[in-house]
Amino acid sequence: MLKEDRHNIIVEETVTNGSSSFQSLSKKLAVSEDTIRRDIKELDNKGLLRAVRGGAVSVSRIPHHYRDRENTDIDQKKIIAQKAVSLIKSGQVLFFDGGTSVLELAKILPLDLKVTIITNSFPVANAIEDHPTAELIFLGGKLNKTSFSTYGNETLQGIAKFKVDIYFLGICSIAPDKLSCKDLEEAETKIAMMRHSVKTVGLCTSDKINSESPYFVAQTGHMHTLITENSKGTPGTKALARLGIEIL
Amino acid sequence: MLKEDRHNIIVEETVTNGSSSFQSLSKKLAVSEDTIRRDIKELDNKGLLRAVRGGAVSVSRIPHHYRDRENTDIDQKKIIAQKAVSLIKSGQVLFFDGGTSVLELAKILPLDLKVTIITNSFPVANAIEDHPTAELIFLGGKLNKTSFSTYGNETLQGIAKFKVDIYFLGICSIAPDKLSCKDLEEAETKIAMMRHSVKTVGLCTSDKINSESPYFVAQTGHMHTLITENSKGTPGTKALARLGIEIL
DNA sequence: AAATATAATGCAAAACATTGCAAACAATAG
DNA sequence: CTATTGTTTGCAATGTTTTGCATTATATTT
């Protein structure tokens, strides 16, 4: 076996599993652990993976604190994303904001869908990068290093240039009367996206229903559809349904 | 058997398997390993495959996708980035374009440097995300899925709002008289960045000197400084130095 | 702090690459 | 037909890289 082949297998193994150990690779490739160690050191230098004690881990463009958030309630978010995707039709233009449920939607976008996605979120952009037919317009602006999205005047002006079909809104907190979030700039972005879309669809794990955050986004009634992972209505969703919001 | 036939078989074997070894080819084609070695060296020169220790690997999965390009000539790019970083002072505002040498510069930016970086490149943005003090302004626009950078009217308008201290220009091709690149939109972006910066610093691995690409960017003379990994001047760099370009 | 596991280092054997050379072969001109 | 030239091929000598093992150093756990 060529060294090149071995390197490819190591990288592949590491990327698909998220990590790999000297032990397992040594057995799998029938070479000593020392050789694997040296291989991984080389691959680390090339930036193809990161060498750690005991083996290697895959390098991810998106840091951990975001990743953690991304992976909480992942099953619920997948259900929500599934429901949301059924609302999208080819040819539409969509706003995606920086929420993690919205990101999940970006990840499962059917490969034959020809849509234009406008976003201020780097993780969303990374997800769409690999999509064959979706077009992406990224909103410029200052970088928020915790949410990995852009904000500020530049971003708001960018949003104002469009009037899109659907805005997929990641919900931080929803009370019976109002939507709110944890960050002033994020709130401003969400407000602008709502104003420049025909229809607003909120994505929300049900634990966020009946919670509040410091920064006001909008009256709940301005949202057209709310998607949660829970199909049978809860008291919270029923109250929102009475306001005329479609619950999915 | 003709040499031509042998070459065809070698390429075919290498492409279908992803790789091939001197040993197996020698047995299969009933010639010595030395001959195979010489064949593969020839085919490598023609670009039909890549010679590696022990055999050859298929060239199909090599540089065309950004994530691969990122890792070619990495050592040279590191040298270039080291030289470039010495030009940066705290307080400056900088344009970084989407070149891979420029990305390397973004990665090694000293942690105490307080600069504002304006870029249209996602990889650069990802690199700067981790930096504690650098501020990042991202230029919105349409996404180019092969270079992972934005382009178009939106991007150009974004650029036009600034007049920065230094533009770090990733060079695709440089001939004695002109800079050029492989993509119309990329060329437009580079032109705009040059116009809206006080000083343009080109980063360029020396194999790109005296090459040409379809889309014109600028007269070479509009660049103030050129950085290559090769410190002792080559005929190519000396010609450029005579045009008044500082060579580092 | 001791015990244990893991990683870096030096080394020698093996695998592989490079170079130079001569034999084999083909093409061309005299 | 023969001499000349140029190319291709295999072989041997020499130089380089890779690899596994033993040793020493460094983390991690108890």
Side-chain angles (χ1 to χ4, degrees), chain A residues 76-222:
Chain A
Q76 294 163 44
K77 284 172 188 167
K78 277 190 175 139
I79 296 168
I80 293 171
Q82 269 319 334
K83 292 186 188 177
V85 86
S86 68
L87 301 176
I88 303 173
K89 293 178 181 41
S90 268
Q92 288 185 323
V93 180
L94 313 167
F95 275 144
F96 276 35
D97 75 13
T100 52
S101 296
V102 178
L103 172 59
E104 206 54 45
L105 173 57
K107 284 182 182 165
I108 64 156
L109 218 57
L111 296 179
D112 57 337
L113 218 48
K114 287 187 184 61
V115 291
T116 299
I117 290 168
I118 305 169
T119 188
N120 68 325
S121 156
F122 281 88
V124 167
N126 273 312
I128 301 297
E129 267 168 8
D130 298 325
H131 194 285
T133 55
E135 230 194 289
L136 181 80
I137 297 177
F138 196 85
L139 297 161
K142 276 181 269 182
L143 176 73
N144 176 328
K145 288 188 181 182
T146 65
S147 70
F148 299 108
S149 56
T150 53
Y151 68 93
N153 216 355
E154 187 103 23
T155 313
L156 299 177
Q157 282 176 23
I159 294 168
K161 287 180 191 158
F162 302 96
K163 186 81 184 189
V164 308
D165 299 303
I166 308 178
Y167 164 33
F168 287 99
L169 159 68
I171 294 178
C172 302
S173 302
I174 180 168
D177 56 327
K178 67 174 187 182
L179 296 162
S180 53
C181 77
K182 297 192 176 81
D183 187 86
L184 173 61
E185 275 88 11
E186 208 178 320
E188 283 176 342
T189 307
K190 286 175 192 290
I191 292 168
M193 285 192 173
M194 271 181 109
R195 284 184 44 181
H196 290 91
S197 57
V198 174
K199 187 177 171 183
T200 296
V201 176
L203 310 186
C204 174
T205 51
S206 55
D207 57 309
K208 287 171 183 168
I209 294 177
N210 289 326
S211 69
E212 265 188 66
S213 295
Y215 296 97
F216 178 81
V217 174
Q219 304 289 339
T220 315
H222 289 145

Side-chain angles (χ1 to χ4, degrees), chain B residues 82-137:
Chain B
Q82 272 313 337
K83 291 185 188 177
V85 85
S86 68
L87 301 175
I88 304 174
K89 293 179 182 38
S90 268
Q92 288 183 325
V93 180
L94 313 167
F95 276 143
F96 276 35
D97 76 12
T100 52
S101 296
V102 178
L103 172 59
E104 208 50 49
L105 173 57
K107 283 182 182 165
I108 64 157
L109 217 57
L111 297 179
D112 57 336
L113 218 49
K114 287 187 184 59
V115 291
T116 299
I117 290 168
I118 304 169
T119 188
N120 68 325
S121 157
F122 281 89
V124 167
N126 275 312
I128 300 297
E129 268 168 5
D130 298 328
H131 195 284
T133 56
E135 228 194 292
L136 180 79
I137 296 176

Side-chain angles (χ1 to χ4, degrees), chain B residues 41-159:
Chain B
K41 204 186 264 177
E42 258 183 74
L43 294 167
D44 180 304
N45 283 333
K46 286 189 195 163
L48 296 168
L49 43 68
R50 196 160 63 89
V52 297
R53 193 181 174 81
V57 294
S58 153
V59 85
S60 64
R61 52 211 244 86
I62 301 182
H64 69 288
H65 198 278
Y66 191 90
R67 284 174 191 141
D68 294 324
R69 257 198 304 146
E70 228 172 86
N71 295 315
T72 57
D73 299 331
I74 190 103
D75 294 334
Q76 293 163 45
K77 284 171 188 167
K78 277 190 176 141
I79 296 169
I80 293 172
Q82 272 313 337
K83 291 185 188 177
V85 85
S86 68
L87 301 175
I88 304 174
K89 293 179 182 38
S90 268
Q92 288 183 325
V93 180
L94 313 167
F95 276 143
F96 276 35
D97 76 12
T100 52
S101 296
V102 178
L103 172 59
E104 208 50 49
L105 173 57
K107 283 182 182 165
I108 64 157
L109 217 57
L111 297 179
D112 57 336
L113 218 49
K114 287 187 184 59
V115 291
T116 299
I117 290 168
I118 304 169
T119 188
N120 68 325
S121 157
F122 281 89
V124 167
N126 275 312
I128 300 297
E129 268 168 5
D130 298 328
H131 195 284
T133 56
E135 228 194 292
L136 180 79
I137 296 176
F138 195 85
L139 297 161
K142 277 180 268 183
L143 176 73
N144 177 328
K145 288 187 184 184
T146 63
S147 70
F148 297 117
S149 57
T150 55
Y151 68 92
N153 218 352
E154 186 103 23
T155 312
L156 300 177
Q157 282 176 23
I159 294 167

Side-chain angles (χ1 to χ4, degrees), chain A residues 1 6 9-10 21-36 39:
Chain A
M1 166 171 289
R6 219 176 47 221
I9 292 172
I10 291 173
S21 70
F22 295 136
Q23 231 174 49
S24 66
L25 288 169
S26 162
K27 208 187 288 179
K28 182 165 186 161
L29 297 167
V31 290
S32 74
E33 289 191 27
D34 297 71
T35 301
I36 301 288
D39 286 343

